[in-house]
DNA sequence: GTCTATAAATGGATAGAC
DNA sequence: GTCTATCCATTTATAGAC
């Protein structure tokens, strides 16, 4: 992550007239336009020619940088994983107070890479490598959330058996994973679906919070309800 | 629905030697094998030739019966809708007691037609007619569940604001829609995914019940917990 | 109603020149 | 690094004989 010799501007200058650009830059641009196209049309509906066009390079050149469409998808998935990792890594080890913030940030990342969940099953059968990575990430996410919930239960913050705490964690993961997807389906105009509106995102946070709220007790519950209310559409 | 002149056996007899079969029977068989293939491989990965092969007819003949692949998908979706309608229609208007049964039966239908939710987004963009039908069904499902939950709230059975009751209903719909899908993703071997095991189905019921349980109070909650426990894997 | 043969279009991927 | 041209496989759908 500490590559990038020379500033972008000096690179551009050095590339002038040669007709060549740094491989790094081209690869980055391919990923950027691919992400945009995948999100807009769904990965299965974006062809390699389509990507090459948008990146303003030839199909042949595209395959010089990425031998298979799968390679592009995997590279983007790694970006997604890294972004998610930044969030949980930055979370201050388990305070209830900023749980809502973690949820919110997570939804933003899920939105940025919404193509992943849009055709998740199909992508995972087409690209087995993606399946194993996704499985790993999902399980570890569930496990982390489950541990967090069971911790709350032990601390007496929520009233739930270990099984219920785990079920709660799984439901949180499920809603986080599919909420924006379902919301896009519900409110999609006939036009291609662009980025989810702030509404859809806020509603998602509300949905997740409303999974947790009823388990809380007394004071804590009120606190949560106040936060949740901020995420209501009205 | 009251067609079917003559029994199946007399039809078969009448068809002998002519090389022709009743259009009804052929169409049914096409739908049956399509459903099986879609569920096994995912609709996008099943070609019309594939279907023709499995139905033991020629590609040309397939297109005599169904002009487009979309027609097959839509016919199957109508089957699905009808099956769901049977469940909610048969439910004895709102007793809490057999809510778990409705959930269980719903999961079975969702499982029978799991190809629908597997590639939902992609199918809906490919077939706009499907999108509108699905949207309608989803919204009416949410609305019914929401009304049910708000009713429980009014009756004092659960402690939830109207907004929370609605959020609960949405989460119930979401989990019901995507649970088996996610579960197939989690536990899929490299082999094609067959019907969900009884485990996955029971766990799904448990997940949905655990959405509702924490909202209940005292006696009712205990009752629900007892039912839910029956759905635990162990 | 059913078949064979094939059209028409698309998509992933490669070869070889510059 | 980049391009043009093209191969090869696949897929939907049709034409026309039986």
């Amino acid at each position: 992550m500490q590559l990038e010799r020379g500033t972008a501007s000096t690179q551009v200058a050095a590339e002038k007239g040669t007709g060549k650009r740094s491989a790094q830059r081209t690869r980055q641009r391919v990923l950027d336009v691919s992400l945009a196209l995948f999100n807009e049309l769904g990965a299965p509906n974006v062809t390699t020619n389509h990507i090459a066009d948008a990146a303003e390079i030839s199909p042949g050149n595209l395959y010089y940088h990425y031998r298979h469409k799968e390679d592009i998808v995997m590279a983007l998935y790694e970006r997604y994983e890294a972004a998610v990792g930044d969030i949980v890594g930055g979370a201050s080890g388990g305070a209830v107070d900023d749980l809502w913030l973690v949820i919110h940030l997570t939804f933003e990342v899920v939105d940025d890479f919404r193509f992943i969940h849009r055709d998740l099953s199909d992508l995972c059968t087409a690209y087995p490598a993606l399946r194993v990575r996704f499985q790993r990430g999902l399980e570890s996410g569930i496990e982390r959330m489950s541990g967090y919930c069971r911790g709350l239960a032990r601390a007496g913050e929520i009233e739930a058996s270990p099984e219920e705490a785990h079920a709660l964690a799984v439901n949180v993961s499920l809603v986080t994973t599919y909420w924006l997807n379902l919301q896009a389906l519900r409110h999609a105009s006939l036009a291609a679906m662009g980025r989810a509106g702030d509404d859809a995102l806020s509603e998602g946070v509300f949905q997740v919070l409303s999974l947790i709220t009823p388990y809380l007790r007394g004071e804590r519950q009120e606190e949560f309800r106040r936060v949740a209310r901020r995420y209501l559409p009205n």
Side-chain angles (χ1 to χ4, degrees), chain A:
Chain A
M1 274 298 180
Q2 80 290 33
L3 309 177
E4 308 195 21
R5 303 267 178 265
T7 67
S9 54
T10 51
Q11 280 191 355
V12 170
E15 291 154 3
K16 278 286 161 58
T18 71
K20 302 182 179 183
R21 273 169 295 193
S22 118
Q24 289 299 326
R25 283 175 63 81
T26 303
R27 287 173 62 93
Q28 275 305 102
R29 202 153 28 79
V30 167
L31 290 188
D32 290 339
V33 301
S34 294
L35 177 58
L37 287 173
F38 287 170
N39 281 340
E40 185 188 344
L41 303 171
N45 304 314
V46 176
T47 73
T48 50
N49 287 343
H50 204 150
I51 294 172
D53 269 11
E56 296 181 289
I57 59 176
S58 66
N61 192 10
L62 175 62
Y63 275 82
Y64 169 80
H65 292 288
Y66 293 96
R67 304 275 297 159
H68 308 276
K69 187 179 175 182
E70 174 173 10
D71 298 337
I72 299 175
V73 172
M74 290 304 292
L76 287 175
Y77 186 76
E78 279 164 34
R79 270 198 193 179
Y80 165 75
E81 264 193 347
V84 172
D86 285 352
I87 293 174
V88 300
S92 49
V96 192
D97 310 304
D98 46 30
L99 177 60
W100 65 272
L101 180 59
V102 172
I103 296 171
H104 193 128
L105 292 174
T106 303
F107 266 112
E108 280 183 349
V109 174
V110 170
D111 189 30
D112 289 342
F113 294 86
R114 57 194 173 282
F115 85 92
I116 293 173
H117 297 107
R118 192 202 121 116
D119 299 290
L120 191 52
S121 299
D122 210 45
L123 289 176
C124 284
T125 56
Y127 311 129
L130 178 64
R131 151 162 286 149
V132 299
R133 288 202 72 140
F134 177 78
Q135 284 177 334
R136 250 201 284 280
L138 179 63
E139 293 312 321
S140 85
I142 289 176
E143 215 27 68
R144 180 172 40 246
M145 190 68 200
S146 182
Y148 177 78
C149 291
R150 289 197 307 271
L152 289 180
R154 268 200 317 276
E157 296 264 25
I158 72 177
E159 191 179 13
S161 68
E163 291 83 10
E164 286 172 325
H166 184 74
L168 171 60
V170 171
N171 278 333
V172 168
S173 297
L174 195 154
V175 174
T176 307
T177 299
Y178 287 111
W179 168 261
L180 290 176
N181 202 20
L182 187 73
Q183 210 58 3
L185 230 44
R186 288 175 77 186
H187 299 132
S189 355
L190 296 108
M193 48 178 173
R195 153 179 252 92
D198 282 356
D199 289 4
L201 216 139
S202 294
E203 281 180 69
V205 178
F206 181 80
Q207 288 299 126
V208 173
L209 289 178
S210 72
L211 290 173
I212 303 167
T213 309
Y215 279 104
L216 295 169
R217 355 189 64 241
E219 175 52 30
R220 267 282 187 241
Q221 188 171 71
E222 278 316 307
E223 181 189 332
F224 245 66
R225 282 213 163 95
R226 273 196 300 279
V227 177
R229 208 162 300 137
R230 298 217 313 265
Y231 283 99
L232 265 178
N234 305 343

